[in-house]
Amino acid sequence: MGRVYNFSAGPAVLPESVLKEVAEEMLDYNGTGMSVMEMSHRSAAFQQIIDEAERDIRDLMNIPDNYKVLFLQGGASQQFAMIPMNLMKNRVADYIVTGQWAKKAYQEAQKYGKANKIASSEDKTFSYIPDCSDLPISPDADYVYICENNTIYGTKFKKLPNTKGKDLVADVSSCFLSEPVDVSKYAIIYGGVQKNIGPAGMVIAIVREDLITEEVLPGTPTMLTYKTHADAGSLYNTPNAYCIYVCGKVFKWLKAMGGLEEMKRRNEEKAKLLYDFLDSSKLFHGTVVPKDRSLMNVPFVTGDKEMDAKFVKEAASAGLVNLKGHRSVGGMRASIYNAMPKEGVEALVAFMKKFEEENL
């Protein structure tokens, strides 16, 4: 059927031009006579790939010199343990729980010390971001943790919490590189790449240097110590070399598109198309408080499970795929990451209008 519009939350849509470039280099990367898939991570050719990838993400995000960029495996879920193992010196951390992934991170941290849930939006199915201007921050907390964009529920912190001087750690898996960000406001900003950057299998952690020490919790594995990876330039063991290569291509694509200011403009334009339709629709409605809406993940429902299922099925037949909501919430969800073209959102809205006319 040719290319579809893929609204999956992750693994997700990648820029078509990047996929074509990768396909062209599949058998022979840059005159090496081999694929990056076959290449030693200790080779000069790969060293150049990883160095360029790091340089480009530093440019895109204006990452200060006192932050290390680490290309790690284990996904965001492994960071749920790695963060307390490396940062919980006082064995205390504060968590703001705004969705499934923040909740999982909070539960994981309890294995390593006292994790305090200092704010939550669980009372209304995570459909809003709680007020974080004056939180009961623990005096001895090692850090305050948030999931900045909640993929399942479609909410986003538009303003970072007031941590009262404590280090902020943020999981940005589903809004990574979607808009400019001030890295210096975070102690660690990290995310799985499979939503907005590259193929599945890697997490990028941007960690302030003073947090990278040998003083980690007793029993922390070598592989889960930030210092291990920072000292070895993310090449302590065999990294996900092919994923780093594709991410590097996406960084170059982002730069060619005009950087993160331009991506933010495009993402706002795309999201507005969909939200404006949802706000005017008689059949569909969004599930998130308008001020907390994500630009990346847009959940919506008809209010009737059978109608939702019919919509998902008919949309797929029309080449609009992976619109089923997460199993924990049902309904629909359109993930409209950087690589989703505006035409994809226009096609979705046109289909929704038609579906509404036929089913009301």
Side-chain angles (χ1 to χ4, degrees):
M1 69 188 291
R3 292 281 290 170
V4 294
Y5 287 120
N6 177 12
F7 293 95
S8 169
V13 60
L14 282 162
E16 207 165 306
S17 61
V18 169
L19 293 174
K20 283 179 174 154
E21 212 174 300
V22 163
E24 278 163 24
E25 294 176 349
M26 179 52 88
L27 295 176
D28 178 7
Y29 171 74
N30 209 11
T32 57
M34 65 175 94
S35 172
V36 176
M37 260 185 203
E38 311 168 283
M39 188 179 282
S40 164
H41 62 298
R42 303 284 177 217
S43 65
F46 185 73
Q47 189 65 52
Q48 191 181 351
I49 288 170
I50 194 170
D51 288 347
E52 262 185 55
E54 179 175 341
R55 203 160 50 237
D56 286 337
I57 191 174
R58 281 188 177 277
D59 284 354
L60 281 164
M61 293 178 76
N62 291 317
I63 298 174
D65 290 345
N66 65 323
Y67 283 74
K68 292 276 191 203
V69 175
L70 306 176
F71 298 108
L72 307 171
Q73 293 171 76
S77 297
Q78 188 154 287
Q79 292 302 305
F80 299 167
M82 201 162 172
I83 286 157
M85 283 175 168
N86 285 264
L87 266 56
M88 245 194 198
K89 310 282 192 264
N90 301 326
R91 303 272 183 149
V92 181
D94 289 348
Y95 280 71
I96 298 168
V97 178
T98 51
Q100 205 88 325
W101 304 113
K103 190 177 177 178
K104 286 191 163 145
Y106 160 68
Q107 288 166 337
E108 190 73 9
Q110 291 167 14
K111 295 176 178 177
Y112 304 100
K114 189 168 185 279
N116 304 304
K117 191 195 292 185
I118 55 167
S120 171
S121 53
E122 208 161 353
D123 60 333
K124 293 185 179 162
T125 332
F126 299 123
S127 58
Y128 70 102
I129 297 288
D131 176 6
C132 295
S133 56
D134 186 17
L135 296 165
I137 305 279
S138 315
D140 52 351
D142 291 300
Y143 59 88
V144 177
Y145 183 100
I146 61 169
C147 179
E148 199 164 313
N149 187 90
N150 297 283
T151 323
I152 295 174
Y153 301 94
T155 57
K156 164 83 162 71
F157 279 83
K158 303 288 167 75
K159 190 171 187 258
L160 293 176
N162 173 8
T163 63
K164 302 182 181 174
K166 297 290 181 188
D167 280 339
L168 177 66
V169 174
D171 173 355
V172 294
S173 293
S174 50
C175 58
F176 221 161
L177 299 180
S178 64
E179 58 183 35
V181 56
D182 180 355
V183 174
S184 68
K185 289 184 173 169
Y186 305 83
I188 296 180
I189 179 169
Y190 79 91
V193 301
Q194 74 280 6
K195 298 172 183 295
N196 210 29
I197 303 177
M202 195 169 74
V203 58
I204 297 175
I206 300 162
V207 186
R208 208 176 61 223
E209 274 178 354
D210 61 290
L211 299 169
I212 301 173
T213 68
E214 278 161 359
E215 288 170 49
V216 294
L217 295 191
T220 298
T222 305
M223 282 295 291
L224 294 187
T225 303
Y226 287 124
K227 192 168 176 18
T228 301
H229 301 284
D231 288 353
S234 299
L235 294 168
Y236 173 76
N237 68 322
T238 310
N240 191 334
Y242 200 75
C243 189
I244 291 168
Y245 156 72
V246 182
C247 290
K249 294 271 190 210
V250 173
F251 301 153
K252 291 208 182 300
W253 175 77
L254 287 167
K255 287 174 94 169
M257 295 291 271
L260 301 192
E261 289 284 356
E262 174 60 14
M263 290 324 291
K264 184 182 188 196
R265 188 194 68 72
R266 285 166 182 255
N267 289 328
E268 284 174 343
E269 183 184 33
K270 286 187 305 195
K272 188 177 188 312
L273 282 172
L274 188 45
Y275 285 125
D276 282 355
F277 172 70
L278 287 171
D279 290 341
S280 67
S281 170
K282 291 183 174 62
L283 180 63
F284 299 99
H285 58 269
T287 55
V288 173
V289 172
K291 71 176 177 57
D292 298 328
R293 285 170 166 172
S294 163
L295 295 179
M296 297 283 103
N297 312 98
V298 184
F300 56 97
V301 294
T302 63
D304 175 330
K305 277 184 179 161
E306 281 171 21
M307 185 69 82
D308 287 352
K310 183 183 183 200
F311 173 80
V312 169
K313 192 175 173 212
E314 289 184 14
S317 301
L320 306 161
V321 305
N322 292 318
L323 282 162
K324 191 170 190 250
H326 189 270
R327 60 186 179 277
S328 63
V329 289
M332 282 74 70
R333 171 182 53 180
S335 292
I336 48 176
Y337 299 125
N338 284 341
M340 172 58 68
K342 185 180 170 188
E343 295 75 30
V345 182
E346 287 169 341
L348 173 61
V349 170
F351 180 81
M352 288 167 80
K353 280 181 180 159
K354 180 169 160 283
F355 185 89
E356 182 168 317
E357 281 160 17
E358 290 167 3
N359 290 277
L360 259 190

